[in-house]
Amino acid sequence: MNAIILAAGLGTRLRPLTDDRPKALVEVAGASMLQHLICKMKSAGFTHIVVNVHYMGEQIIEFLKRNDSFGIKIDVSDERDLLLDTGGGIARALRFFDNEKPVLVHNVDVISDVNLGEIYSLAEGCDTLLLVQKRSSSRMLYFDDNMSLTGWMNLKSGEKKSPFADFSPEKMAAYAFSGIHVINSAMARKMKEVEGAFPLIPFYLENAARMNIKATLFPDACRWVDAGTPEALERAADILKYINFK
């Protein structure tokens, strides 16, 4: 199974912890966020991982070498010269895979006890499967009765984006993106056609009318946290107590 870990972010929300290291190497519960996620993926059966790097990327490269890539195949997608945003970063990382199997994409600062293997298997039959949540967020994704992506809205500014002229947020189900999704081969080919930096969600919205972009709800029994702030690290450490992997 294939996976991408998005680890190229600047980590500004985690300062001062990221003054001397990339966000991926900030430690929680005795190990870096990157190590926890690699080990979780390995335990779930993932055999090829691509990690993208930018800010202090040489530290991540050295970390992987020092740990012999934790015994699985790990490639580094190097964005140290130019940060490619979420969409562009994924598009470049996709080029490292030599098969057309689905690719799980996971933010490095998302800590959860969700079963990644199960999420990976659920993506069959759609071009992209987004793992979404019922939680408060200023930026929401909207879905129809079939859980197909229809639009996006910034609740603070009122800005809306949708490829559908009749898009009405009040008639749709609103969910927050979890930072975990699965890309299938048709979407991977479409993303690799785009050059340079581009954001992920606008790309999905541009293609929502002609491609099958679905969502599945984050299981109620599972724990999740965006560990991108110092305040969230304690919650992340608590979640890691419930994850059994080596």
Side-chain angles (χ1 to χ4, degrees):
M1 296 193 294
N2 301 325
I4 293 171
I5 296 176
L6 297 178
L10 299 176
T12 53
R13 293 183 301 151
L14 271 171
R15 288 177 179 163
L17 297 176
T18 51
D19 286 345
D20 61 353
R21 70 192 66 191
K23 173 173 59 178
L25 296 186
V26 169
E27 292 197 357
V28 53
S32 68
M33 288 191 279
L34 179 60
Q35 180 173 337
H36 284 302
L37 185 50
I38 290 172
C39 291
K40 183 180 180 182
M41 287 178 168
K42 181 180 178 181
S43 178
F46 289 87
T47 55
H48 187 184
I49 299 172
V50 178
V51 181
N52 75 333
V53 302
H54 174 70
Y55 175 68
M56 297 189 181
E58 63 283 352
Q59 291 190 27
I60 294 176
I61 294 169
E62 177 56 33
F63 173 78
L64 294 172
K65 288 180 180 177
R66 190 166 62 248
N67 289 281
D68 195 27
S69 296
F70 296 90
I72 61 173
K73 183 178 182 180
I74 299 181
D75 288 308
V76 172
S77 182
D78 195 340
E79 299 177 32
R80 283 179 290 176
D81 290 339
L82 176 64
L83 186 60
L84 294 173
D85 209 331
T86 46
I90 293 169
R92 177 177 286 184
L94 286 167
R95 293 179 171 86
F96 285 85
F97 299 108
D98 57 5
N99 57 54
E100 292 200 338
K101 293 180 180 179
V103 179
L104 176 85
V105 183
H106 198 301
N107 292 358
V108 74
D109 54 359
V110 165
I111 306 291
S112 82
D113 59 358
V114 72
N115 187 317
L116 296 180
E118 288 184 4
I119 300 303
Y120 189 85
S121 66
L122 289 174
E124 185 176 355
C126 59
D127 296 315
T128 292
L129 181 71
L130 303 165
L131 185 58
V132 298
Q133 300 170 292
K134 297 176 181 177
R135 64 176 171 86
S136 298
S137 175
S138 61
R139 293 170 293 182
M140 302 297 288
L141 295 174
Y142 291 82
F143 300 87
D144 63 17
D145 292 340
N146 296 316
M147 290 298 279
S148 295
L149 180 65
T150 61
W152 169 94
M153 184 174 179
N154 185 319
L155 300 183
K156 289 183 177 179
S157 68
E159 180 187 5
K160 302 175 187 177
K161 292 181 181 179
S162 173
F164 303 101
D166 59 349
F167 173 62
S168 298
E170 63 275 8
K171 298 179 181 179
M172 303 291 172
Y175 299 107
F177 181 41
S178 71
I180 304 170
H181 63 295
V182 182
I183 297 171
N184 272 318
S185 56
M187 184 63 75
R189 289 193 294 271
K190 188 73 174 176
M191 294 185 79
K192 288 188 286 186
E193 292 173 359
V194 185
E195 296 293 334
F198 64 94
L200 179 67
I201 297 302
F203 172 84
Y204 280 156
L205 290 168
E206 289 169 9
N207 289 279
R210 53 185 176 270
M211 300 192 78
N212 189 12
I213 303 174
K214 296 274 193 178
T216 188
L217 278 174
F218 199 92
D220 288 338
C222 290
R223 304 164 181 85
W224 176 97
V225 68
D226 171 3
T229 64
E231 297 76 23
L233 292 179
E234 184 176 347
R235 171 65 176 148
D238 184 61
I239 291 173
L240 287 166
K241 297 175 185 176
Y242 299 92
I243 303 177
N244 297 314
F245 55 75
K246 299 294 183 183

